């Protein structure tokens, strides 16, 4: 392949080379993707044919996908989501079999946006759409060593009637996710409806906004209730300490203790939003989070309490323990690479911000990325890049 090969052609080459082993895609659309790329170039659309992937069999019809296509994005295929037969959702089933974590083939990539995370981690797509009802963007982002953002609940249309799920994006970095926010929140074509909620800032913008440093933040290892793998906690704490030392973050002495949302989340997902316990937990955590995030502060925590589990499942462990609180409250939250455990598993640092502060959260994530070591690419992706 030559240096002049198009971005879509490079993505398709990687899919052909890597996906038979990684199982990240359920469908690939080479002819349509190349045609859309040519059209984007001819019409001088802003994304210029940027190759992206969509989550699951219905992702191509999503609000985000329609906006990205209208702006000149080229969907290369649909990515894997969990198959039937399990109550746990931290895995994916691709066209060739179970989706494989690109760092550890014996581990899952997380889910339910499983294939989307693997696709961007290995360069099979430059970004991918996702949806997050309990951590379905942030968990696979953490376990595959990429960036994943759950937008503010209600900011973008979602088919989830419970109100717990919101649209999201996965990309190699926060910087690489910028086109999603620019075009999905602020762009769009004639068939794209307006966002469900008013945006906190007019878009499109010169993203991300420069933020004054240090960023005020509150750190919690466990949000007051979760049991966290000590090595995962140590990796995240080391990343936070590095951010403080670099002058990127200033830690505030605010209490970050929340109530465990498991019963409330389960009641709402089950169609009982007026359950007294759910109402109590939601109200209490909303009040505490509003106080924590006042004045533009961030909340920092591990994205998951555990490292990626094996393909047999997580057992009795809740991989969602640290993510679903923000689905219940509606706050935007992101995971970005924090480092690795001794056995080679990626660990994610989670950032949460005030409702509607999605643009500010992306800017904060870029500042955090700049202060941390550059996230490496999986060995499989490195071999694919070397073959170009």
């Amino acid at each position: 392949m030559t240096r002049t090969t198009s971005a879509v052609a490079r993505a398709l080459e990687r899919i052909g080379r890597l996906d038979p082993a990684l199982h990240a895609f359920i469908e690939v659309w080479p002819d349509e993707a190349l045609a859309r790329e040519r059209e984007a170039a001819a019409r001088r659309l802003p994304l210029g044919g940027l190759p992206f992937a969509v989550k699951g069999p219905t992702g191509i019809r999503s609000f985000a996908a329609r906006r990205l296509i209208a702006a000149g994005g080229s969907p290369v295929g649909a990515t894997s989501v969990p198959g039937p037969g399990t109550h746990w959702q931290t895995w994916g089933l691709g066209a060739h079999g179970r989706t494989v974590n690109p760092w550890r083939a014996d581990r899952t990539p997380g889910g339910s946006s499983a294939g989307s995370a693997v696709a961007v981690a290995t360069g099979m797509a430059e970004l991918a759409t996702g949806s997050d009802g309990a951590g379905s963007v942030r968990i696979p982002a953490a376990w595959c060593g990429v960036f994943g953002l759950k937008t503010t609940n209600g900011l973008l249309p979602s088919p989830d009637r419970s109100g717990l799920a919101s649209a999201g994006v996965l990309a190699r970095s926060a910087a690489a996710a910028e086109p999603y926010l620019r075009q999905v929140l602020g762009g769009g074509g004639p068939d794209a409806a307006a966002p469900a909620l008013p945006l906190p800032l007019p878009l499109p913008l010169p993203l991300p906004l420069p933020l004054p440093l240090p960023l005020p933040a509150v750190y919690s290892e466990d949000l007051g209730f979760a049991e966290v793998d000590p090595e995962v906690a140590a990796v995240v704490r080391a990343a936070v300490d590095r951010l403080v030392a670099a002058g990127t973050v200033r830690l505030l002495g605010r209490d970050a203790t929340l109530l465990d949302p498991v019963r409330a989340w389960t009641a709402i997902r089950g169609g009982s939003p007026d359950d007294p316990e759910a109402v109590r937990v939601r109200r209490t955590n909303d009040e505490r989070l509003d106080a924590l995030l006042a004045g533009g502060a961030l909340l920092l925590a591990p994205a998951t309490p555990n490292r990626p589990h094996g393909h047999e499942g997580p057992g009795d462990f809740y991989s969602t323990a640290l993510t679903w609180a923000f689905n219940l409250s509606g706050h935007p939250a992101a995971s970005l690479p924090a480092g690795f455990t001794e056995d080679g598993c990626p660990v994610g640092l989670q950032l949460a911000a005030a409702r509607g502060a999605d643009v500010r959260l992306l800017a904060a994530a870029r500042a955090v990325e700049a202060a941390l070591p550059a996230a490496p690419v999986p060995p499989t992706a490195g071999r694919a890049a070397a073959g170009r």
Side-chain angles (χ1 to χ4, degrees):
M1 299 181 72
T2 69
R3 297 178 70 90
T4 59
T5 303
S6 76
V8 169
R10 290 195 298 271
L12 292 170
E13 187 275 336
R14 288 194 180 98
I15 293 171
R17 181 187 299 191
L18 300 176
D19 200 52
L22 294 173
H23 313 159
F25 284 86
I26 56 174
E27 295 179 5
V28 182
W29 310 312
D31 294 340
E32 296 92 331
L34 289 166
R36 287 191 187 279
E37 184 182 42
R38 290 192 294 270
E39 179 185 5
R43 295 175 58 192
R44 298 184 179 181
L45 295 174
L47 292 183
L50 179 142
F52 73 96
V54 298
K55 177 183 177 178
T58 62
I60 193 63
R61 299 194 296 273
S62 69
F63 179 87
R66 287 187 289 117
R67 284 226 166 172
L68 291 170
I69 291 169
S74 297
V76 295
T79 59
S80 65
V81 294
T86 69
H87 66 278
W88 48 280
Q89 298 289 294
T90 44
W91 68 291
L93 183 62
H96 304 289
R98 282 181 177 260
T99 310
V100 172
N101 189 303
W103 293 97
R104 289 278 306 262
D106 61 332
R107 307 294 176 94
T108 78
S112 60
S113 305
S116 288
V118 175
V120 300
T122 56
M124 294 189 284
E126 293 192 22
L127 59 80
T129 66
S131 58
D132 189 315
S136 292
V137 164
R138 290 160 289 159
I139 293 170
W143 288 357
C144 291
V146 298
F147 176 79
L149 169 69
K150 178 197 86 69
T151 58
T152 297
N153 290 45
L155 182 65
L156 297 171
S158 170
D160 177 34
R161 294 184 178 181
S162 73
L164 294 169
S166 59
V169 60
L170 298 102
R172 280 288 308 154
S173 65
E178 180 182 318
Y180 179 96
L181 265 72
R182 184 187 299 278
Q183 303 302 333
V184 175
L185 297 187
D191 66 337
L197 293 178
L199 299 176
L201 294 168
L203 291 174
L205 291 169
L207 296 172
L209 298 176
L211 297 179
L213 302 180
L215 304 170
V218 180
Y219 170 70
S220 175
E221 175 182 305
D222 56 11
L223 300 182
F225 59 82
E227 181 182 343
V228 180
D229 178 326
E231 194 172 350
V232 169
V235 171
V236 173
R237 181 72 224 201
V240 172
D241 289 344
R242 187 179 185 113
L243 295 174
V244 172
T248 303
V249 161
R250 173 175 57 88
L251 293 181
L252 307 175
R254 298 176 183 174
D255 181 16
T257 299
L258 302 180
L259 299 181
D260 189 342
V262 57
R263 290 181 58 188
W265 186 96
T266 304
I268 293 168
R269 175 63 81 189
S272 300
D274 297 327
D275 175 85
E277 176 68 6
V279 171
R280 182 185 71 86
V281 170
R282 182 173 244 176
R283 180 184 298 119
T284 300
N285 280 355
D286 282 354
E287 292 172 354
R288 294 179 183 181
L289 285 167
D290 287 346
L292 276 172
L293 300 172
L298 301 170
L299 177 55
L300 310 179
T304 65
N306 54 338
R307 63 192 82 191
H309 58 72
H311 294 283
E312 72 283 355
D316 295 330
F317 216 84
Y318 282 108
S319 304
T320 54
L322 295 168
T323 49
W324 53 10
F326 305 110
N327 298 93
L328 199 65
S329 69
H331 292 83
S335 177
L336 54 83
F340 291 81
T341 57
E342 289 292 332
D343 60 352
C345 292
V347 173
L349 167 64
Q350 183 171 212
L351 285 67
R355 294 181 195 87
D358 300 62
V359 172
R360 179 181 174 84
L361 179 58
L362 180 70
R366 291 201 64 172
V368 167
E369 282 182 346
L372 296 177
V377 298
T380 50
R383 287 196 292 271
R388 293 213 308 266

